[in-house]
Amino acid sequence: MKRIAIITARGGSKRIPKKNIKEFCGKPIICYSIEAALSSGLFDEVMVSTDSEEIAEIARKAGAGVPFMRSAGNSDDHATTADVLLEVLADYEKAGKTFDSLCCIYPTAPFVTASKLREAGRLLETKEADAVVPVVRYSFPPQRAFVRSGDYTVMKYPEHARTRSQDLEPYFHDAGQFYFLKTSSFLKEKAVFMPRLISLEMPETEVQDIDNETDWKLAELKYSMMEQA
């Protein structure tokens, strides 16, 4: 069983300049993803897909490979994660290398750990799954959401106006950390969310979107809490 970890880290971050290599609790944030992949012991290759020589240099120092640079076509705001992964797999195939499974790890995912990756890998291989995705429960039930209607605000789902929160079905969303995929299924579907998807629930304290400076500070606080636990 051959596996590859692909860390997707383009250089063109706008809201947080140099986001993928900005210092996070003492080291470039991408290093957390690289170190988790390497220490998991799962992967035959741990590589970074980037268009930035600065990111590539930091990635190599952290122990990852950068065997080829990302194309310009997959380095703009319109390239999807699937596009980048497909390009990486195609480049490896040209070099005579193929993999049974791949794990896409985001470069701004300091909450990813070796143990989480190992559990996801175990689930992918022991269940009839195409993908394993970390998810987190919505902290407030979406069934109790409000929407604006003209000058007023109304319940989106008025049938749940009197339903107790604990009686509502829990909803989850993508934790935005990594995707562990069966390569054959991914090449067929060309998408990370595939029909036979298994979720791995994460605690809210170990999930944080990082889109602005406030998010960054919250992530550092949560990471410090996780380290102290």
Side-chain angles (χ1 to χ4, degrees):
M1 180 68 69
K2 297 195 70 175
R3 310 180 193 91
I4 182 172
I6 302 169
I7 298 160
T8 55
R10 74 186 182 97
S13 177
K14 296 181 176 64
R15 287 175 289 188
I16 302 177
K18 296 189 177 183
K19 171 181 174 180
N20 293 329
I21 52 174
K22 179 179 168 71
E23 185 174 302
F24 181 95
C25 292
K27 58 189 171 186
I29 194 167
I30 192 174
C31 292
Y32 294 90
S33 299
I34 294 170
E35 290 167 7
L38 290 171
S39 60
S40 73
L42 287 172
F43 303 105
D44 299 274
E45 299 261 355
V46 175
M47 69 86 67
V48 171
S49 169
T50 186
D51 59 325
S52 163
E53 289 290 351
E54 185 177 14
I55 292 175
E57 182 179 355
I58 290 172
R60 292 188 186 104
K61 285 180 180 178
V66 188
F68 29 75
M69 301 298 286
R70 190 186 303 187
S71 69
N74 276 327
S75 299
D76 62 21
D77 293 335
H78 303 291
T80 66
T81 296
D83 291 334
V84 174
L85 298 180
L86 288 167
E87 177 178 88
V88 169
L89 292 176
D91 284 340
Y92 269 103
E93 189 171 10
K94 289 174 189 173
K97 293 184 178 181
T98 59
F99 302 91
D100 300 292
S101 62
L102 65 137
C103 186
C104 170
I105 308 174
Y106 285 137
T108 53
F111 302 103
V112 173
T113 63
S115 60
K116 290 173 182 175
L117 293 173
R118 284 193 288 264
E119 175 61 10
R122 184 191 69 79
L123 289 170
L124 186 71
E125 291 178 16
T126 59
K127 307 291 184 181
E128 292 187 4
D130 296 316
V132 177
V133 177
V135 299
V136 62
R137 189 178 301 220
Y138 280 97
S139 58
F140 188 84
Q143 301 96 320
R144 302 293 293 276
F146 287 94
V147 293
R148 290 199 172 107
S149 179
D151 293 334
Y152 302 103
T153 298
V154 300
M155 289 197 75
K156 175 67 175 175
Y157 308 103
E159 65 271 24
H160 291 303
R162 296 181 181 275
T163 307
R164 297 186 309 166
S165 296
Q166 60 265 39
D167 294 332
L168 293 168
E169 179 184 11
Y171 283 14
F172 302 85
H173 65 84
D174 177 11
Q177 296 181 358
F178 66 87
Y179 309 112
F180 220 131
L181 314 172
K182 181 188 276 187
T183 304
S184 59
S185 300
F186 173 68
L187 291 174
K188 177 183 176 183
E189 300 288 340
K190 296 180 173 55
V192 296
F193 301 132
M194 293 183 277
R196 298 184 301 177
L197 185 148
I198 291 177
S199 63
L200 185 62
E201 186 173 0
M202 301 286 155
E204 192 175 359
T205 52
E206 297 179 16
V207 175
Q208 178 64 50
D209 282 339
I210 305 179
D211 293 325
N212 53 51
E213 292 293 344
T214 298
D215 291 341
W216 193 278
K217 292 174 183 176
L218 285 171
E220 287 188 314
L221 285 171
K222 288 184 177 183
Y223 182 80
S224 297
M225 289 170 55
M226 185 179 80
E227 288 291 282
Q228 294 166 12

